[in-house]
Amino acid sequence: MNDTALSSDAVTAGIRAAYDAVDYDCTAYPQSHPDRLRTVARMFGVDAPPLATARVLEVGCGDGSNLIPVADAFPNATFIGCDLAPRAIDAGNALIAAAGLGNVELRLQDLRELPASLGSFDYVIAHGFYSWVPAPVRDALMDLLATRMTLNGVAFVSYN
């Protein structure tokens, strides 16, 4: 995806530059694993969608370190990650290609511009994201959760 696909507003440009300037230590976050989210949902009486065929979105996915291992474990599920840092997305996509995974895609894209054609999601993960973005982006995340989650879908939004 090229730069024209990204939002051109100054805030987004600033965020993108900052996150691309520093290599962030990315890792898997067990607390955001869809299997854990499904378990917690069931404890609250919600019959969350089965993981085997789930559609998972991670907002602020970095290099995919949290998303790629889950995609490997659930080959019939679909995983999409979006982030504004080109170097992180490129590194993650190289790992995906090397691993031969066909069920995961990392997109260099502002969450406010995720196309409707991506459909709805059973699980949405936004770890380490919400408290670091401006209000319009937080609002866009909440709108995405309100409009693009499947019935009984589960969202994980951490807040610092």
Side-chain angles (χ1 to χ4, degrees):
M1 185 161 297
N2 61 36
D3 290 344
T4 60
L6 297 175
S7 174
S8 62
D9 70 42
V11 173
T12 300
I15 291 170
R16 179 175 170 230
Y19 279 102
D20 206 39
V22 176
D23 287 326
Y24 285 87
D25 220 4
C26 297
T27 187
Y29 300 100
Q31 65 270 33
S32 72
H33 192 292
D35 189 37
R36 180 182 175 117
L37 301 179
R38 186 167 198 265
T39 300
V40 171
R42 291 187 64 107
M43 290 171 55
F44 284 94
V46 176
D47 188 20
L51 298 176
T53 57
R55 293 184 41 78
V56 179
L57 171 67
E58 184 172 14
V59 176
C61 68
D63 66 4
S65 293
N66 190 47
L67 201 60
I68 294 169
V70 184
D72 186 48
F74 295 96
N76 294 318
T78 302
F79 299 86
I80 298 171
C82 68
D83 202 293
L84 292 177
R87 288 189 309 133
I89 293 294
D90 289 346
N93 280 328
L95 180 59
I96 290 166
L101 296 174
N103 64 331
V104 59
E105 172 189 2
L106 302 184
R107 302 171 67 99
L108 180 61
Q109 194 156 42
D110 186 321
L111 86 93
R112 296 175 293 176
E113 298 174 356
L114 285 177
S117 62
L118 290 178
S120 55
F121 300 97
D122 300 310
Y123 297 89
V124 175
I125 301 164
H127 177 67
F129 176 83
Y130 189 86
S131 54
W132 301 106
V133 296
V137 179
R138 292 191 304 264
D139 292 345
L141 175 62
M142 293 298 119
D143 184 58
L144 181 137
L145 297 178
T147 62
R148 308 270 298 273
M149 296 286 299
T150 60
L151 181 65
N152 293 340
V154 178
F156 176 90
V157 180
S158 64
Y159 184 80
N160 185 357

